[in-house]
């Protein structure tokens, strides 16, 4: 993998489960590690659901093989959060991982 293709900075956030004041489990995310990636746009759509406009975007992030990515992590990219859908294991032998992620609408 050519390092010059990794031109975008992204941040992976790890999932933590904490208890609130009432004893309920609350999922929080904290920064795990930053890395560089090649980001490709897959598809996108604008959906009107329940009188609300929802933007559905899907991106592919290509990172180096040694990044300890887990499927429960989220990705921060250009002030947007992306949920990991799949980590392509076939490309793991070529010194890279391809991660397909979708935009989290908040």
């Amino acid at each position: 993998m050519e390092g010059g293709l990794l031109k975008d900075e992204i941040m992976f956030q790890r999932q933590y489960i904490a208890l609130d004041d009432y004893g309920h489990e609350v999922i929080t995310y904290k920064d795990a590690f930053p890395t560089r990636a090649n980001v490709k746009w897959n598809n996108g759509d604008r959906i009107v659901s329940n009188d609300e406009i929802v933007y559905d975007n899907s991106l592919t992030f290509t990172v180096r093989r040694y990044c300890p990515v887990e499927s429960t992590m989220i990705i921060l990219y250009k002030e947007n959060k992306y949920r990991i859908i799949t980590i392509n294991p076939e490309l793991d032998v070529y010194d890279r991982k391809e991660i397909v992620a979708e935009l989290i609408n908040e």
Side-chain angles (χ1 to χ4, degrees), residues 60-73:
T60 299
F61 297 91
T62 304
V63 297
R64 293 197 184 268
R65 176 178 48 94
Y66 59 77
C67 288
V69 180
E70 301 169 3
S71 60
T72 58
M73 291 181 166

Side-chain angles (χ1 to χ4, degrees), residues 5 10 18 71 78:
L5 296 176
I10 62 174
S71 60
K78 291 189 177 178

Side-chain angles (χ1 to χ4, degrees), residues 2-90:
E2 296 180 26
L5 296 176
L6 306 177
K7 59 186 180 293
D8 298 305
E9 292 184 17
I10 62 174
M11 172 68 75
F12 285 96
Q13 288 189 330
R14 183 168 277 120
Q15 175 181 342
Y16 292 96
I17 298 176
L19 297 177
D20 63 3
D21 295 337
Y22 301 104
H24 295 102
E25 292 183 351
V26 178
I27 297 175
T28 59
Y29 291 92
K30 295 183 182 174
D31 291 349
F33 59 92
T35 190
R36 299 188 68 79
N38 183 16
V39 180
K40 289 186 275 183
W41 183 79
N42 289 339
N43 59 11
D45 198 6
R46 187 181 128 185
I47 303 167
V48 177
S49 176
N50 295 331
D51 294 329
E52 181 179 351
I53 298 174
V54 178
Y55 295 97
D56 181 30
N57 295 329
S58 176
L59 299 177
T60 299
F61 297 91
T62 304
V63 297
R64 293 197 184 268
R65 176 178 48 94
Y66 59 77
C67 288
V69 180
E70 301 169 3
S71 60
T72 58
M73 291 181 166
I74 63 171
I75 300 171
L76 292 178
Y77 173 63
K78 291 189 177 178
E79 299 180 7
N80 290 322
K81 294 180 181 180
Y82 292 88
R83 178 183 307 111
I84 295 176
I85 297 173
T86 184
I87 301 170
N88 193 345
E90 296 174 359

